[in-house]
């Protein structure tokens, strides 16, 4: 059991931290604009009232998500995962496909003409590596493309993975806005003050909402529960990894 010292900022990779920071529309718009790196300029979005198509809170497999629709019609799944999932890539393809299929009308498909929305899945991966991935890469931006030429075949189905564990840059090594997002996600719960590189209004808003001191008594209780859940998941994962290492000896 970890000693629970009162933090200055909450952990954005917990359920309550994730919902508090990314449940704020301005924060989420700013985050998405950084993640899309100028490919899309997002000005407004609507949170979808979903059945949390990917959510589970089993010990060792903690996942929480948001589904939003941009004002331009695109659908985006934003998900936080704190442990490796079986068939990770296939699982996200399934959920993206479900979002697409749910937009199809029950009848009159001919007049509809398969006018499907663009769907993007953004996965924040905390504490584990991409299966078979390059551990020197922390940002994965993928879409359908020609295998030989690399030319994009279809832009409207995208998968973006933030492999937080692979980000090892110090504050002095941070290069751009995307790096700042990674630095924030990885280091926020251990920081004592707002970092010098986070002085812009975009990041100040994130840290203002993340202030532990500004949480109500009820919010603190809910956050502490979600933090313990994360610790429990980490303990289970470490035990499982230890068992696997022993078996491979």
């Amino acid at each position: 059991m970890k000693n629970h010292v009162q933090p200055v900022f909450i952990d954005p990779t917990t359920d309550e931290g994730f919902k508090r920071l990314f449940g704020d529309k301005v924060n989420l718009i700013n985050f998405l604009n950084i993640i899309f790196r100028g490919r899309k300029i997002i000005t407004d979005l609507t949170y979808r009232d979903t059945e949390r198509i990917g959510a589970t809170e089993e010990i060792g497999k903690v996942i929480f998500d948001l589904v939003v629709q941009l004002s331009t019609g695109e659908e985006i799944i934003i998900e936080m995962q704190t442990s490796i999932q079986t068939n990770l890539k296939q699982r996200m393809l399934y959920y993206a496909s479900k979002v697409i299929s749910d937009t199809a009308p029950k009848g009159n498909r001919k007049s509809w003409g398969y006018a499907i929305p663009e769907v993007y899945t953004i996965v924040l991966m905390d504490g584990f590596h991409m299966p078979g991935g390059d551990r020197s890469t922390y940002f994965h931006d993928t879409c359908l493309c020609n295998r030989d030429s690399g030319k994009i075949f279809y832009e409207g189905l995208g998968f973006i993975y933030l492999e937080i564990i692979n980000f090892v840059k110090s504050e002095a090594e941070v290069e751009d806005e995307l790096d700042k997002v990674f630095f924030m996600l990885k280091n926020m719960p251990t920081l004592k003050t707002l970092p010098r590189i986070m002085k812009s209004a975009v990041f100040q808003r994130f840290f203002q909402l993340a202030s532990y001191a500004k949480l109500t008594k009820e919010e603190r209780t809910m956050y502490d529960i979600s933090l313990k859940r994360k610790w429990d998941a980490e303990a289970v994962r470490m035990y499982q990894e230890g068992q696997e290492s022993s078996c491979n000896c």
Side-chain angles (χ1 to χ4, degrees):
M1 178 71 178
K2 298 183 181 182
N3 294 323
H4 186 14
V5 178
Q6 180 170 312
V8 176
F9 303 108
I10 62 177
D11 187 340
T13 65
T14 61
D15 189 359
E16 291 300 314
F18 178 81
K19 288 189 295 186
R20 183 171 179 82
L21 296 187
F22 295 102
D24 178 84
K25 182 186 284 191
V26 174
N27 269 353
L28 186 55
I29 288 174
N30 288 332
F31 169 77
L32 292 175
N33 279 326
I34 293 171
I35 294 304
F36 281 112
R37 298 181 294 175
R39 192 167 75 247
K40 290 185 178 297
I41 304 300
I42 299 163
T43 58
D44 196 15
L45 56 81
T46 302
Y47 290 91
R48 291 272 304 274
D49 183 15
T50 71
E51 297 178 355
R52 296 170 62 84
I53 55 176
T56 178
E57 293 183 354
E58 298 175 17
I59 296 299
K61 294 187 179 299
V62 181
I63 307 168
F64 22 95
D65 59 31
L66 295 169
V67 181
V68 300
Q69 184 179 60
L70 304 186
S71 58
T72 46
E74 298 97 320
E75 301 274 352
I76 301 182
I77 304 167
I78 306 105
E79 187 168 285
M80 173 67 73
Q81 296 190 3
T82 62
S83 62
I84 184 65
Q85 305 297 312
T86 303
N87 296 326
L88 174 67
K89 297 173 185 177
Q90 294 92 326
R91 179 178 174 278
M92 300 319 302
L93 180 60
Y94 168 76
Y95 290 128
S97 300
K98 187 176 187 301
V99 170
I100 292 173
S101 64
D102 285 349
T103 65
K106 301 301 181 182
N108 199 17
R109 295 284 180 94
K110 185 176 181 179
S111 63
W112 172 55
Y114 297 93
I116 62 175
E118 294 184 7
V119 176
Y120 299 91
T121 302
I122 300 172
V123 184
L124 287 68
M125 301 165 51
D126 179 47
F128 68 99
H129 295 283
M130 174 77 74
D134 178 0
R135 297 196 176 188
S136 66
T137 303
Y138 49 86
F139 186 72
H140 310 267
D141 191 353
T142 63
C143 63
L144 299 179
C145 66
N146 184 293
R147 189 186 300 276
D148 295 320
S149 68
K151 183 177 180 180
I152 294 176
F153 170 74
Y154 179 61
E155 178 71 72
L157 180 62
F159 299 88
I160 300 174
Y161 295 86
L162 285 71
E163 198 170 355
I164 300 172
I165 196 172
N166 285 354
F167 184 82
V168 295
K169 292 182 179 181
S170 66
E171 182 178 349
E173 294 171 320
V174 167
E175 299 177 25
D176 53 26
E177 296 298 283
L178 185 61
D179 275 0
K180 291 179 185 179
V181 166
F182 275 91
F183 187 87
M184 176 183 71
L185 291 172
K186 188 162 189 176
N187 297 292
M188 179 178 274
T190 61
L191 294 172
K192 302 303 181 184
T193 59
L194 180 70
R196 176 184 56 80
I197 60 172
M198 302 287 182
K199 296 296 185 181
S200 71
V202 168
F203 289 99
Q204 283 191 36
R205 186 181 181 90
F206 271 106
F207 278 85
Q208 286 168 0
L209 280 175
S211 171
Y212 186 83
K214 292 183 179 179
L215 299 181
T216 65
K217 183 178 180 179
E218 181 180 359
E219 288 171 339
R220 289 188 184 190
T221 298
M222 294 300 296
Y223 171 72
D224 291 344
I225 291 172
S226 71
L227 185 61
K228 182 180 184 302
R229 185 181 296 128
K230 176 183 176 177
W231 290 346
D232 289 343
E234 288 177 348
V236 170
R237 184 177 68 242
M238 292 176 64
Y239 173 78
Q240 291 173 339
E241 290 173 353
Q243 291 292 97
E244 291 173 0
S245 296
S246 299
C247 292
N248 292 333
C249 290

